[in-house]
Amino acid sequence: MVAESVARFERGDGKQLSMMALSTLLSTGGLEDGDWIGLVRDAGAEGVEALVYDVLGTGMLGEGTEQARQALRPAALRSVAYHELLVRVATTVVAEIEAAGVRALLLKGLAWGRLLYEQSYHRAGTDLDVLVEPGGIRAAAECLNGLGLEEVSYPWRNVSRQQVFVWRGAGASEVFVDLHEAISNRPLLTRVFPFEQLYAESMPVPGLAPEARTLGLSDAFLYGCAHRIGHSPEERRLIWLYDLHLLLGALGREGRLRETADRAVEKGLGTVCSRQSREAVEVFGSEAAEEFCRIMADRGSEDCAGLSGFLEVEGSFWRRLKLDLRGLPGLGAKRRYVREMLFPPIKYMLWKYPGWRRRQAPWLYVRRGWGGMRKLMGHGRGKGEGNCR
């Protein structure tokens, strides 16, 4: 019944009202069994309370939804209010950074909500990701400081390529702004997605500052695939897959699926993109994703850069490290990268292990080294690059 509703609920402009919410219903057996509590729980875990609230309000799921809708209402209203706050902060931040002569691109979240979703607050995310041009992060950080944002991260020099700031408003409201000087902390991916190419093919974000731009559709899809598979399975949020479903739909309407497939193979992401597209077909019945899979099957999924295994966080630590180092230019850069992995900045260590004092730093590094040894011996598993929505 729910699957049939997914197929029926198409809008005139080709968009869907975030059927990702209905996939959650499928995973809980639908509302026929009265499991509205499970629906509310899953919506909260995915951060899509407003989205599910709107879907339930259409009446397309029949009776038995009112309890779930009423339970979601407070969180849905908070999501809408937070979205408006995020829009104001994004508009100010982007305009200020561009005024300082630094080119910037918005990533994921708010930008994709504006481009792809029926209501942009369905995909606002919980923070603002801003990619700045090479060499521009210091000037961009000064802009955020000038706007009154507080830095809450402890920047690394080699391993991590981002700085985190927080905007605090009235009451307890706050917005985190992540400044990225590279699209990924993984050097090889930074080479796959050079900023100049991304910016040249970028597109404006509707409803924000005139300067606000985001990745073009093809680059957004390739980046979305790499971002999602770079997290362990339990961290791969359903909404990320729905993003890919919508991006493929937009590419299909523009007749650009073949172009995107060629680019995926060229960048070494053929296997990664094929796998994500197959999953979109299985979960959402995506016709565009199915067509993309057929195109990729015709081309073969050999990856010239061999990134598929590298992006899988369950893969060998040594293999990932080897490919990380391969993405760095020169022996000096490789040495600095390894040294910082072994001995992160002390401010980071004190943040990661609260309650410890600076004079206890040697023991903190011993603890980190022991944890790393256990991971190498197979007793632990690495995590992805964060969990931003």
Side-chain angles (χ1 to χ4, degrees):
M1 181 272 293
V2 176
E4 293 174 355
S5 298
V6 172
R8 286 201 307 267
F9 202 71
E10 288 283 350
R11 293 301 180 94
D13 59 1
K15 296 180 181 178
Q16 290 180 316
L17 180 59
S18 295
M19 294 298 101
M20 182 276 301
L22 300 186
S23 179
T24 302
L25 286 179
L26 287 172
S27 69
T28 61
L31 291 182
E32 294 89 341
D33 59 1
D35 186 23
W36 62 271
I37 295 177
L39 171 61
V40 173
R41 180 195 63 238
D42 292 344
E46 287 288 329
V48 291
E49 295 94 337
L51 181 155
V52 179
Y53 179 83
D54 284 352
V55 170
L56 295 178
T58 65
M60 59 182 293
L61 299 179
E63 299 178 357
T65 63
E66 190 57 29
Q67 285 178 303
R69 194 162 191 262
Q70 290 305 314
L72 287 167
R73 179 177 172 79
L77 292 176
R78 287 195 298 270
S79 295
V80 174
Y82 182 79
H83 170 263
E84 295 303 318
L85 176 62
L86 192 63
V87 168
R88 293 200 300 271
V89 173
T91 300
T92 302
V93 165
V94 170
E96 194 74 12
I97 291 176
E98 290 283 349
V102 179
R103 294 173 297 168
L105 294 170
L106 294 177
L107 302 176
K108 308 191 304 289
L110 178 63
W112 290 358
R114 289 276 169 173
L115 288 172
L116 303 170
Y117 284 73
E118 187 70 24
Q119 299 291 340
S120 58
Y121 59 77
H122 289 165
R123 184 61 178 95
T126 57
D127 56 8
L128 188 67
D129 288 286
V130 184
L131 174 67
V132 298
E133 64 179 305
I137 194 166
R138 177 174 297 180
E142 290 176 356
C143 289
L144 298 192
N145 286 326
L147 291 172
L149 279 75
E150 175 190 354
E151 184 174 1
V152 294
S153 65
Y154 300 107
W156 301 42
R157 294 180 180 274
N158 302 284
V159 175
S160 179
R161 310 291 300 280
Q162 69 186 67
Q163 294 177 236
V164 182
F165 295 78
V166 62
W167 178 93
R168 292 191 171 93
S173 60
E174 58 184 23
V175 173
F176 286 91
V177 180
D178 293 353
L179 278 186
H180 301 262
E181 62 176 338
I183 201 167
S184 171
N185 287 336
R186 289 175 168 168
L188 200 56
L189 274 183
T190 301
R191 290 175 57 181
V192 169
F193 294 104
F195 182 88
E196 293 299 333
Q197 178 253 312
L198 294 176
Y199 197 84
E201 300 179 16
S202 64
M203 57 195 301
V205 181
L208 296 183
E211 303 88 351
R213 303 188 68 81
T214 188
L215 304 180
L217 291 177
S218 288
D219 288 326
F221 172 70
L222 299 182
Y223 167 65
C225 287
H227 170 263
R228 185 170 184 269
I229 206 171
H231 290 74
S232 58
E234 61 270 18
E235 293 177 317
R236 293 175 192 168
R237 302 178 63 244
L238 191 58
I239 199 168
W240 295 344
L241 184 64
Y242 193 73
D243 289 337
L244 301 181
H245 159 67
L246 291 182
L247 284 164
L248 284 171
L251 287 165
R253 290 190 293 276
E254 293 189 5
R256 298 176 59 192
L257 290 176
R258 293 185 180 277
E259 166 201 329
T260 303
D262 289 340
R263 184 173 294 187
V265 174
E266 175 188 344
K267 290 182 176 293
L269 295 168
T271 300
V272 169
C273 293
S274 294
R275 188 181 308 171
Q276 302 299 294
S277 300
R278 284 195 298 271
E279 194 169 345
V281 173
E282 294 168 0
V283 175
F284 302 114
S286 172
E287 294 182 3
E290 191 169 8
E291 175 63 20
F292 184 82
C293 288
R294 285 195 292 267
I295 295 172
M296 291 301 299
D298 292 340
R299 282 162 171 70
S301 58
E302 291 298 323
D303 292 339
C304 63
L307 290 175
S308 56
F310 160 61
L311 288 172
E312 287 282 16
V313 295
E314 295 85 6
S316 162
F317 169 85
W318 293 112
R319 182 180 184 185
R320 295 199 310 275
L321 178 59
K322 178 181 177 181
L323 286 167
D324 274 334
L325 295 178
R326 196 178 85 185
L328 293 169
L331 185 58
K334 293 176 172 59
R335 286 175 175 169
R336 289 190 296 273
Y337 187 87
V338 172
R339 183 168 61 246
E340 191 168 84
M341 285 189 67
L342 295 174
F343 303 102
I346 182 60
K347 287 185 177 181
Y348 167 80
M349 296 294 288
L350 294 175
W351 168 81
K352 184 174 177 62
Y353 302 104
W356 290 67
R357 299 180 181 275
R358 193 179 187 91
R359 65 174 180 269
Q360 298 171 306
W363 293 109
L364 287 178
Y365 287 107
V366 170
R367 176 176 177 174
R368 177 180 173 84
W370 173 246
M373 289 298 297
R374 285 177 55 83
K375 187 183 297 185
L376 292 178
M377 295 168 61
H379 298 295
R381 182 171 62 188
K383 293 184 179 181
E385 294 188 277
N387 198 29
C388 300
R389 291 173 177 168

